[in-house]
Amino acid sequence: MSSRKYPGKSARNALTDLGARILRSRRLMRAPIWLYRAGAGALLGPRMLMLEHIGRRSGAPRHVVLEVVDHPEPDVYVVASGFGTKAQWFRNITANPQVRVFLGSRAPGQATARVLDRQAADRVLAGYRARHPRAWSRMKGVIEQTLGEPITDTDTPLPMVELQLRSAAP
């Protein structure tokens, strides 16, 4: 089946291209940040969080809204970098792993970011695929396009970051 807008491409490939373009749209990707700033982050559901990180050059706070791909413990969240290691937020947390995490409409929590090794990322991705097969089937091609390489069952090129919330002092 061919798409009218994309001659020679299947409808699925056309949707993948559209999804990748949307992910590259700064204005659209930043819109959820305003929901969190307005205290309405809960509208995005429990599978989303806002990460506040520090710019590695500017030293200024920066924000990004990310999907939670795993939540193995009450104070641990795992997110993926759909643009790989070139994503600005990923480069910033690599330089300074001290971050703040906004969950729903709750006050932000202090956390430490840790990049998972490929074996751990493979396990997280396998669990995500099992829990959310429809979401994965829709997003896999888009992520492969943004990463520039295929995602396989082992040795995933998709970087995963574990966010460990710190307990508040009594």
Side-chain angles (χ1 to χ4, degrees), residues 1-17:
M1 157 167 65
S2 259
S3 169
R4 291 176 198 202
K5 275 190 145 182
Y6 301 92
K9 288 192 175 189
S10 71
R12 185 172 181 89
N13 286 341
L15 287 175
T16 297
D17 289 348

mmCIF file of all heavy atoms in Angstrom, residues 1-17:
data_model
loop_
_atom_site.group_PDB
_atom_site.id
_atom_site.type_symbol
_atom_site.label_atom_id
_atom_site.label_comp_id
_atom_site.label_asym_id
_atom_site.label_seq_id
_atom_site.Cartn_x
_atom_site.Cartn_y
_atom_site.Cartn_z
ATOM 1 N N MET A 1 0.852 -1.161 0.000
ATOM 2 C CA MET A 1 0.000 0.000 0.000
ATOM 3 C C MET A 1 0.899 1.226 0.000
ATOM 4 O O MET A 1 1.749 1.380 0.851
ATOM 5 C CB MET A 1 -0.889 -0.077 1.245
ATOM 6 C CG MET A 1 -1.433 1.241 1.689
ATOM 7 S SD MET A 1 -2.741 1.134 2.906
ATOM 8 C CE MET A 1 -1.940 0.439 4.319
ATOM 9 N N SER A 2 0.684 2.122 -0.947
ATOM 10 C CA SER A 2 1.483 3.343 -1.081
ATOM 11 C C SER A 2 0.763 4.523 -0.455
ATOM 12 O O SER A 2 -0.450 4.598 -0.461
ATOM 13 C CB SER A 2 1.700 3.665 -2.551
ATOM 14 O OG SER A 2 2.961 3.275 -2.956
ATOM 15 N N SER A 3 1.526 5.427 0.052
ATOM 16 C CA SER A 3 0.966 6.652 0.588
ATOM 17 C C SER A 3 0.954 7.707 -0.513
ATOM 18 O O SER A 3 1.881 7.815 -1.291
ATOM 19 C CB SER A 3 1.837 7.119 1.764
ATOM 20 O OG SER A 3 1.469 8.405 2.145
ATOM 21 N N ARG A 4 -0.099 8.502 -0.565
ATOM 22 C CA ARG A 4 -0.191 9.541 -1.605
ATOM 23 C C ARG A 4 0.833 10.641 -1.396
ATOM 24 O O ARG A 4 1.362 11.198 -2.335
ATOM 25 C CB ARG A 4 -1.584 10.147 -1.622
ATOM 26 C CG ARG A 4 -2.606 9.168 -2.128
ATOM 27 C CD ARG A 4 -3.972 9.764 -2.031
ATOM 28 N NE ARG A 4 -4.913 8.665 -2.120
ATOM 29 C CZ ARG A 4 -6.150 8.809 -2.489
ATOM 30 N NH1 ARG A 4 -6.616 9.992 -2.783
ATOM 31 N NH2 ARG A 4 -6.943 7.776 -2.543
ATOM 32 N N LYS A 5 1.106 10.985 -0.148
ATOM 33 C CA LYS A 5 2.064 12.056 0.130
ATOM 34 C C LYS A 5 3.498 11.615 -0.104
ATOM 35 O O LYS A 5 4.369 12.418 -0.336
ATOM 36 C CB LYS A 5 1.934 12.510 1.585
ATOM 37 C CG LYS A 5 0.868 13.524 1.806
ATOM 38 C CD LYS A 5 1.000 14.053 3.202
ATOM 39 C CE LYS A 5 0.622 15.508 3.172
ATOM 40 N NZ LYS A 5 0.754 16.162 4.424
ATOM 41 N N TYR A 6 3.766 10.329 0.026
ATOM 42 C CA TYR A 6 5.114 9.795 -0.095
ATOM 43 C C TYR A 6 5.106 8.698 -1.152
ATOM 44 O O TYR A 6 5.059 7.520 -0.825
ATOM 45 C CB TYR A 6 5.591 9.211 1.241
ATOM 46 C CG TYR A 6 5.594 10.197 2.363
ATOM 47 C CD1 TYR A 6 4.493 10.358 3.209
ATOM 48 C CD2 TYR A 6 6.703 11.001 2.580
ATOM 49 C CE1 TYR A 6 4.503 11.274 4.230
ATOM 50 C CE2 TYR A 6 6.717 11.921 3.614
ATOM 51 C CZ TYR A 6 5.623 12.051 4.429
ATOM 52 O OH TYR A 6 5.641 12.963 5.445
ATOM 53 N N PRO A 7 5.155 9.068 -2.428
ATOM 54 C CA PRO A 7 5.136 8.055 -3.486
ATOM 55 C C PRO A 7 6.275 7.057 -3.295
ATOM 56 O O PRO A 7 7.402 7.425 -2.979
ATOM 57 C CB PRO A 7 5.331 8.858 -4.772
ATOM 58 C CG PRO A 7 5.064 10.274 -4.408
ATOM 59 C CD PRO A 7 5.305 10.408 -2.945
ATOM 60 N N GLY A 8 5.948 5.783 -3.460
ATOM 61 C CA GLY A 8 6.955 4.739 -3.328
ATOM 62 C C GLY A 8 7.193 4.286 -1.902
ATOM 63 O O GLY A 8 7.980 3.394 -1.657
ATOM 64 N N LYS A 9 6.532 4.900 -0.935
ATOM 65 C CA LYS A 9 6.691 4.506 0.463
ATOM 66 C C LYS A 9 5.398 3.901 0.961
ATOM 67 O O LYS A 9 4.310 4.326 0.593
ATOM 68 C CB LYS A 9 7.034 5.711 1.341
ATOM 69 C CG LYS A 9 8.427 6.221 1.145
ATOM 70 C CD LYS A 9 8.753 7.198 2.239
ATOM 71 C CE LYS A 9 10.201 7.617 2.119
ATOM 72 N NZ LYS A 9 10.618 8.386 3.265
ATOM 73 N N SER A 10 5.514 2.914 1.823
ATOM 74 C CA SER A 10 4.318 2.346 2.423
ATOM 75 C C SER A 10 3.748 3.342 3.428
ATOM 76 O O SER A 10 4.437 4.268 3.871
ATOM 77 C CB SER A 10 4.656 1.032 3.126
ATOM 78 O OG SER A 10 5.419 1.280 4.287
ATOM 79 N N ALA A 11 2.498 3.151 3.787
ATOM 80 C CA ALA A 11 1.863 4.032 4.768
ATOM 81 C C ALA A 11 2.616 3.964 6.093
ATOM 82 O O ALA A 11 2.786 4.983 6.769
ATOM 83 C CB ALA A 11 0.403 3.640 4.964
ATOM 84 N N ARG A 12 3.110 2.770 6.454
ATOM 85 C CA ARG A 12 3.851 2.618 7.710
ATOM 86 C C ARG A 12 5.143 3.442 7.672
ATOM 87 O O ARG A 12 5.488 4.108 8.643
ATOM 88 C CB ARG A 12 4.148 1.152 7.974
ATOM 89 C CG ARG A 12 4.795 0.898 9.309
ATOM 90 C CD ARG A 12 4.871 -0.597 9.578
ATOM 91 N NE ARG A 12 5.454 -0.869 10.843
ATOM 92 C CZ ARG A 12 4.805 -0.974 11.990
ATOM 93 N NH1 ARG A 12 3.508 -0.814 12.010
ATOM 94 N NH2 ARG A 12 5.421 -1.240 13.102
ATOM 95 N N ASN A 13 5.866 3.399 6.550
ATOM 96 C CA ASN A 13 7.099 4.184 6.437
ATOM 97 C C ASN A 13 6.798 5.675 6.467
ATOM 98 O O ASN A 13 7.560 6.455 7.020
ATOM 99 C CB ASN A 13 7.859 3.829 5.160
ATOM 100 C CG ASN A 13 8.531 2.473 5.265
ATOM 101 O OD1 ASN A 13 8.727 1.949 6.353
ATOM 102 N ND2 ASN A 13 8.875 1.913 4.133
ATOM 103 N N ALA A 14 5.689 6.081 5.855
ATOM 104 C CA ALA A 14 5.304 7.492 5.868
ATOM 105 C C ALA A 14 5.011 7.942 7.296
ATOM 106 O O ALA A 14 5.398 9.039 7.702
ATOM 107 C CB ALA A 14 4.096 7.726 4.969
ATOM 108 N N LEU A 15 4.348 7.087 8.085
ATOM 109 C CA LEU A 15 4.065 7.422 9.483
ATOM 110 C C LEU A 15 5.353 7.491 10.299
ATOM 111 O O LEU A 15 5.495 8.342 11.181
ATOM 112 C CB LEU A 15 3.100 6.411 10.095
ATOM 113 C CG LEU A 15 1.656 6.525 9.626
ATOM 114 C CD1 LEU A 15 0.817 5.393 10.196
ATOM 115 C CD2 LEU A 15 1.068 7.866 10.021
ATOM 116 N N THR A 16 6.291 6.610 9.991
ATOM 117 C CA THR A 16 7.576 6.642 10.680
ATOM 118 C C THR A 16 8.294 7.946 10.392
ATOM 119 O O THR A 16 8.832 8.594 11.292
ATOM 120 C CB THR A 16 8.444 5.443 10.246
ATOM 121 O OG1 THR A 16 7.783 4.244 10.655
ATOM 122 C CG2 THR A 16 9.823 5.491 10.871
ATOM 123 N N ASP A 17 8.303 8.365 9.122
ATOM 124 C CA ASP A 17 8.924 9.635 8.751
ATOM 125 C C ASP A 17 8.258 10.802 9.462
ATOM 126 O O ASP A 17 8.916 11.703 9.968
ATOM 127 C CB ASP A 17 8.857 9.857 7.237
ATOM 128 C CG ASP A 17 9.785 8.938 6.468
ATOM 129 O OD1 ASP A 17 10.646 8.284 7.106
ATOM 130 O OD2 ASP A 17 9.641 8.874 5.237
#
